[in-house]
Amino acid sequence: MATPLPKKTVRGSTSGIAIMAVFDLLGRKWSMRILWELRSTPRSFRELQAQCDAMSPSVLNTRIKQLSEAKLINKCTNGYQLTDLGVSLMETLDPLREWANNWEESLKA
């Protein structure tokens, strides 16, 4: 499966609009979890696998390749880390996490 990138056809859209590529990439199983686990510290392949409920090595390899091609993570001496673009994405998602918490609370009422 090809890495979703802007200006390319992605799941659910043939327009090439960047936001659709982001939704496709982040919507793939384990992508957000990997980014979340890398948000504060670099992690080795084995650490990522353990933190992600022992996902299969083949799936982890595929997601690492896709997230690297999308320039959200890169390899470092300690394993993998978020790039500046990856950090920016995680910071951009902070308001959405806050909204989701508010939404959860409103559903309890």
Side-chain angles (χ1 to χ4, degrees):
M1 189 178 307
T3 301
L5 296 170
K7 307 251 187 247
K8 295 187 178 189
T9 298
V10 298
R11 285 185 307 173
S13 177
T14 58
S15 67
I17 297 172
I19 190 73
M20 295 305 291
V22 168
F23 286 151
D24 186 1
L25 180 63
L26 299 182
R28 293 187 177 192
K29 190 171 184 178
W30 297 110
S31 290
M32 282 300 303
R33 180 67 183 269
I34 292 166
L35 294 170
W36 180 259
E37 296 300 339
L38 294 175
R39 76 195 181 287
S40 57
T41 186
R43 296 191 187 274
S44 70
F45 186 92
R46 289 185 196 271
E47 288 173 327
L48 272 175
Q49 189 178 20
Q51 289 296 120
C52 295
D53 304 321
M55 82 168 85
S56 76
S58 62
V59 171
L60 181 54
N61 265 329
T62 299
R63 292 300 173 260
I64 285 172
K65 181 180 176 187
Q66 291 171 338
L67 293 168
S68 295
E69 190 175 343
K71 300 189 182 208
L72 298 177
I73 67 172
N74 62 16
K75 193 159 179 59
C76 65
T77 56
N78 298 328
Y80 298 93
Q81 65 184 5
L82 292 178
T83 62
D84 289 343
L85 194 58
V87 170
S88 172
L89 171 64
M90 296 306 283
E91 290 171 351
T92 299
L93 291 174
D94 283 340
L96 183 58
R97 278 191 286 279
E98 184 178 329
W99 180 89
N101 290 334
N102 292 336
W103 177 46
E104 178 183 17
E105 289 301 314
S106 74
L107 293 174
K108 291 179 184 177

